[in-house]
Amino acid sequence: MNIQALLKEPISTGQLLSNLRSRLEPMTNKSAYIFEHMPELVRETITNAEEAYWGFLKLPGTGGVREFIGNPPCWLEIRHNDHEFLWQLNRMTHWQDLLEAYSLTYDEKYGRKVIEEMLDWIGTVEIGEELMDYPLSYFEECHPLRALELGIRNYKTWPLILEHLGHTKLFTEAILEQYLGAVYTQTKILRKVSPLLWPKADHNHFLMECLGILTTALYFPELREAEEWKSFAIDGIERCCLAQLTEDGGQIEGCPSYHNGCMFWFGLAVVLAKRFHFKFSDQYMELFRRNLDYSIYSLRPTGKCVPVGDSHANNLAIMGAVYGYMALDDLTWLGLATNLIDIREILHEASKHVWRALDVQRFFEDLQSLQGKHYESDQSTTFWNRTLHQAIIRSGWDSKALSFLFTCRSPIKNAHAHIDLMSFDFTALGKDMICDPGIFCYREDEDRKQFKSSSYHSTLLIDGRDHFEYISSFQFGPQKVGAVYHVEDRGFYQVASAYHMNYEPMVHYRHMALVDNQFLVVADRVGGLEHNKVQRYFHLDYTEVEAVSEGVIATSDIANLAIYTCRKEEVELLPGRLSDVNDIAREATRVRFQGTYSGTVNLLTVLVPYQGDRIPAVKIQTDSDGRYSFNYGNRYVIEITDNDMTISKPV
């Protein structure tokens, strides 16, 4: 491609390369500081780079182990019946380790490997002007030119070639012409199709695609479309902010993993603005700040986010906190994370982003300052996002706290949701006890269907039916209204209430309360039954589980859980699975209580976490319809109505 034809004014390739180099960071100084002060990161980077150099990568479908993907990679091959395999391979994430290893060691083999793969990809994946006329649906299909991959390559991995190799003899004028020709055409396509795919700017894909357009415009202002691309991208990212970041805090899709990703993407936009001397609006900055809180709220006390919806139980709240720090010069969110996550894990995860820090020394020293401290916080322990219909209630900001996330959003926002109305996730005493199962995979198979099903979540079913129909991995049948409609701190207990109409004419209300920072109460009220079977599922992160006369006991080396219920129902222990990362699941146990009812029924469950061998003695008494009592240190009286659950401690 004649790249001079792409420029505002005709300049030589040599002059363009000189201009580009003037905009790049001084990588020599940055890499020298990292090499001297972060030896663990250096070792890990080089180890990963060696694996990538020989063509071994972990990708969706590989079962969490490295697999030979070709040398050069087989860019067009779908393996394991998993489209994500091809898509993620074509994001070239492994280039990051190779390029960083080059900057740390100056071993040219790492840099040459990336250049060779880039040229091979350009030769293999045909990117011509005729793509501009392809139907919009083409850019949603499984191939390397899906719109999302166009965006991710352009903001995340291909610019790293410029940063790490742009100053070197490996990045020649001929390589620049190949690079820019490919990036220009991809960005031009993206500028056309992305706003058509996401006219409301209400999806994380559009955010990443705008970042790709913005990054190209910033690195190459000489391009004739650069000013329009920059303006479009900044406006698009601002629109994403307004469309996706809720006033209460929490990205609109309601999935903590994607929320943490969005904190990275929105924060990275601010880092780019600092580096290239422009600003986002005050409203953008305020919404970004407010939403950083959700990264901490959705973090279990045990240090992994609740994997509600298409989320993993991972530590990427750290990533959100890092970009909060980089964008706002504020350690608040990293400080709060240190209360829940081991400082070594925080330093390890945060260090992966050190190359994006504009001041590496300050970033490193500020991270080190977090060691050995408990971060004091006046953050409320009762959180309610009215848009996402999520309640997150906890006893405190330490790793032994009791905490639950409760969700009920219907109709769903998008197909990243699971069929999990009024499901919850519960952690106590340093142990994840009742867990959302996570993603496991995105494949169109029975595993995907199972992990998204209602019976794999801790919720209530009628006649064994999902709350709404599962059609395919990203498609559901119609849904009726459901909402978390009240959340309140009432002193010695914090309560959240929800309902949904997806079993209409039957209606299900669920009230949940954390009581005296000691135990959890779950009250289900179902009306309109006509000899229907009602199933209550609890997905336990335990394998040692036993049914006893009053309920269920689950034990582990960390902490135990006693589940008590007031009705004599059929109790069955079923196999379960919980997934923290793609393609890997651990054994778990699902508890199912089942009974047949007509009219209106109240079902009360009390979950008591404890440590040691002494099982808490809790016997629930039915005082009258909707009124129950039991003793646990104090005498508690619970009254259940359609709209509320009240708890008292009569003397």
Side-chain angles (χ1 to χ4, degrees):
M1 178 180 285
N2 176 17
I3 65 170
Q4 280 69 32
L6 311 179
L7 308 179
K8 298 173 188 174
E9 299 177 358
I11 59 174
S12 67
T13 304
Q15 183 61 54
L16 181 63
L17 180 56
S18 178
N19 293 352
L20 171 66
R21 285 172 170 166
S22 71
R23 291 187 283 271
L24 301 178
E25 288 197 89
M27 195 57 67
T28 301
N29 296 339
K30 181 175 282 191
S31 59
Y33 188 89
I34 293 169
F35 189 87
E36 180 179 355
H37 292 88
M38 308 179 81
E40 182 179 347
L41 175 64
V42 172
R43 287 193 296 272
E44 183 176 342
T45 300
I46 294 172
T47 298
N48 291 341
E50 277 296 308
E51 295 281 4
Y53 181 81
W54 294 108
F56 289 89
L57 304 180
K58 292 181 186 178
L59 289 167
T62 66
V65 298
R66 292 184 180 272
E67 182 175 296
F68 182 67
I69 47 82
N71 203 349
C74 302
W75 302 112
L76 305 180
E77 183 178 2
I78 302 173
R79 295 187 189 175
H80 311 293
N81 191 35
D82 197 330
H83 290 181
E84 288 287 334
F85 179 94
L86 181 142
W87 283 328
Q88 293 201 28
L89 172 62
N90 281 272
R91 296 173 189 177
M92 295 88 167
T93 306
H94 62 288
W95 285 3
Q96 181 172 346
D97 286 313
L98 288 163
L99 291 165
E100 290 171 3
Y102 170 78
S103 289
L104 291 167
T105 66
Y106 298 107
D107 188 333
E108 289 191 359
K109 76 175 186 180
Y110 299 123
R112 284 197 304 270
K113 171 68 171 173
V114 173
I115 295 293
E116 289 166 2
E117 287 195 3
M118 181 191 76
L119 296 176
D120 181 75
W121 187 89
I122 292 171
T124 301
V125 180
E126 298 179 359
I127 318 174
E129 286 288 328
E130 69 278 1
L131 287 165
M132 298 294 295
D133 299 322
Y134 277 33
L136 190 62
S137 60
Y138 175 80
F139 299 98
E140 299 178 287
E141 296 171 0
C142 186
H143 50 70
L145 299 179
R146 185 175 68 147
L148 180 59
E149 276 57 63
L150 296 175
I152 290 175
R153 282 192 294 270
N154 278 8
Y155 90 81
K156 188 174 184 180
T157 50
W158 283 50
L160 298 180
I161 298 175
L162 307 179
E163 293 292 353
H164 290 276
L165 302 181
H167 286 296
T168 74
K169 63 183 181 181
L170 293 174
F171 198 78
T172 63
E173 293 181 20
I175 295 299
L176 173 59
E177 290 183 348
Q178 290 282 331
Y179 177 99
L180 186 56
V183 165
Y184 173 84
T185 305
Q186 291 181 77
T187 307
K188 187 176 179 181
I189 295 168
L190 196 56
R191 171 63 182 89
K192 177 182 178 181
V193 305
S194 187
L196 299 176
L197 290 170
W198 312 108
K200 296 180 181 179
D202 59 351
H203 200 284
N204 67 78
H205 285 202
F206 186 60
L207 175 55
M208 285 184 273
E209 290 159 18
C210 285
L211 274 173
I213 295 168
L214 176 63
T215 303
T216 301
L218 295 176
Y219 277 95
F220 295 102
E222 295 87 355
L223 292 171
R224 60 173 180 253
E225 292 97 336
E227 290 181 14
E228 194 279 334
W229 286 351
K230 178 181 175 183
S231 176
F232 166 82
I234 292 172
D235 179 70
I237 294 168
E238 290 268 4
R239 289 177 58 225
C240 285
C241 177
L242 293 176
Q244 296 182 38
L245 299 186
T246 63
E247 288 294 322
D248 292 321
Q251 197 261 356
I252 194 71
E253 295 169 73
C255 303
S257 283
Y258 280 99
H259 170 88
N260 289 326
C262 287
M263 293 301 94
F264 162 45
W265 300 314
F266 282 116
L268 176 59
V270 180
V271 174
L272 288 171
K274 285 182 173 183
R275 179 175 168 186
F276 290 95
H277 310 296
F278 63 95
K279 291 184 177 181
F280 287 94
S281 68
D282 291 343
Q283 185 178 23
Y284 176 100
M285 299 301 290
E286 176 56 31
L287 272 172
F288 173 61
R289 174 182 288 276
R290 196 176 306 156
N291 276 258
L292 286 163
D293 289 347
Y294 181 84
S295 291
I296 304 300
Y297 275 113
S298 59
L299 192 63
R300 292 167 173 160
T302 48
K304 299 291 187 289
C305 79
V306 179
V308 63
D310 276 345
S311 291
H312 290 308
N314 57 35
N315 62 9
L316 292 188
I318 299 170
M319 181 176 69
V322 165
Y323 284 87
Y325 163 81
M326 287 187 180
L328 303 173
D329 299 315
D330 190 336
L331 278 170
T332 295
W333 302 279
L334 278 168
L336 283 169
T338 63
N339 293 354
L340 310 178
I341 305 174
D342 187 282
I343 186 62
R344 291 167 296 183
E345 186 175 348
I346 288 179
L347 295 175
H348 177 263
E349 188 63 39
S351 68
K352 296 177 183 178
H353 304 275
V354 68
W355 294 92
R356 292 195 184 274
L358 301 180
D359 185 336
V360 170
Q361 181 173 347
R362 182 184 170 197
F363 177 71
F364 176 78
E365 291 174 352
D366 284 349
L367 281 178
Q368 296 298 311
S369 74
L370 296 171
Q371 297 191 74
K373 294 181 179 179
H374 180 84
Y375 197 89
E376 297 299 329
S377 173
D378 58 359
Q379 294 273 90
S380 172
T381 55
T382 303
F383 172 85
W384 179 17
N385 188 299
R386 294 160 180 81
T387 305
L388 304 182
H389 291 284
Q390 290 181 4
I392 307 174
I393 291 173
R394 62 204 313 134
S395 62
W397 293 100
D398 62 88
S399 61
K400 301 295 184 181
L402 280 66
S403 176
F404 73 88
L405 185 151
F406 179 42
T407 182
C408 183
R409 186 186 198 180
S410 183
I412 62 170
K413 170 62 183 175
N414 61 55
H416 278 303
H418 290 191
I419 313 172
D420 59 354
L421 302 182
M422 292 197 278
S423 182
F424 71 98
D425 185 283
F426 177 53
T427 297
L429 307 179
K431 174 80 172 79
D432 302 325
M433 294 189 167
I434 294 180
C435 294
D436 191 286
I439 303 173
F440 187 70
C441 70
Y442 288 108
R443 290 186 297 274
E444 198 66 71
D445 61 14
E446 286 302 309
D447 284 322
R448 176 69 164 164
K449 182 178 181 180
Q450 184 178 65
F451 271 79
K452 296 192 84 165
S453 69
S454 298
S455 64
Y456 242 54
H457 292 80
S458 299
T459 186
L460 180 147
L461 282 68
I462 298 177
D463 295 329
R465 291 187 288 123
D466 277 343
H467 300 149
F468 43 87
E469 182 187 7
Y470 178 96
I471 296 175
S472 63
S473 179
F474 287 101
Q475 187 178 6
F476 300 116
Q479 303 120 53
K480 298 180 181 179
V481 66
V484 174
Y485 59 84
H486 187 72
V487 179
E488 185 179 358
D489 187 338
R490 296 175 176 170
F492 73 89
Y493 72 101
Q494 300 149 277
V495 65
S497 297
Y499 83 107
H500 80 86
M501 300 293 296
N502 284 273
Y503 290 129
E504 198 173 31
M506 295 168 285
V507 58
H508 175 207
Y509 290 85
R510 171 168 277 189
H511 312 288
M512 298 190 61
L514 182 61
V515 184
D516 275 335
N517 295 336
Q518 293 187 91
F519 58 88
L520 187 65
V521 173
V522 181
D524 293 296
R525 182 178 175 92
V526 187
L529 296 166
E530 294 184 4
H531 203 68
N532 299 103
K533 286 189 175 181
V534 176
Q535 298 91 15
R536 287 174 294 149
Y537 284 90
F538 299 88
H539 205 147
L540 276 59
D541 193 2
Y542 290 89
T543 54
E544 300 295 324
V545 183
E546 179 185 3
V548 295
S549 59
E550 301 296 334
V552 169
I553 302 296
T555 57
S556 76
D557 293 338
I558 302 172
N560 312 315
L561 178 65
I563 303 177
Y564 299 103
T565 187
C566 65
R567 289 182 178 265
K568 294 297 183 182
E569 294 182 307
E570 175 189 339
V571 182
E572 190 170 1
L573 305 181
L574 304 170
R577 289 188 294 167
L578 303 173
S579 176
D580 299 326
V581 296
N582 276 349
D583 304 315
I584 298 175
R586 62 183 185 278
E587 291 184 9
T589 305
R590 290 180 300 141
V591 176
R592 182 176 68 192
F593 296 99
Q594 181 171 253
T596 301
Y597 302 99
S598 294
T600 297
V601 64
N602 295 306
L603 301 166
L604 184 69
T605 313
V606 179
L607 298 94
V608 184
Y610 68 99
Q611 291 178 311
D613 297 330
R614 187 174 180 180
I615 300 173
V618 174
K619 184 174 179 62
I620 303 171
Q621 295 180 329
T622 303
D623 298 338
S624 62
D625 187 32
R627 180 184 170 94
Y628 307 88
S629 62
F630 62 89
N631 292 317
Y632 185 63
N634 295 286
R635 177 171 171 76
Y636 295 94
V637 175
I638 298 172
E639 296 188 67
I640 304 168
T641 64
D642 276 354
N643 296 321
D644 200 5
M645 172 178 68
T646 60
I647 304 176
S648 60
K649 294 192 288 186
V651 178

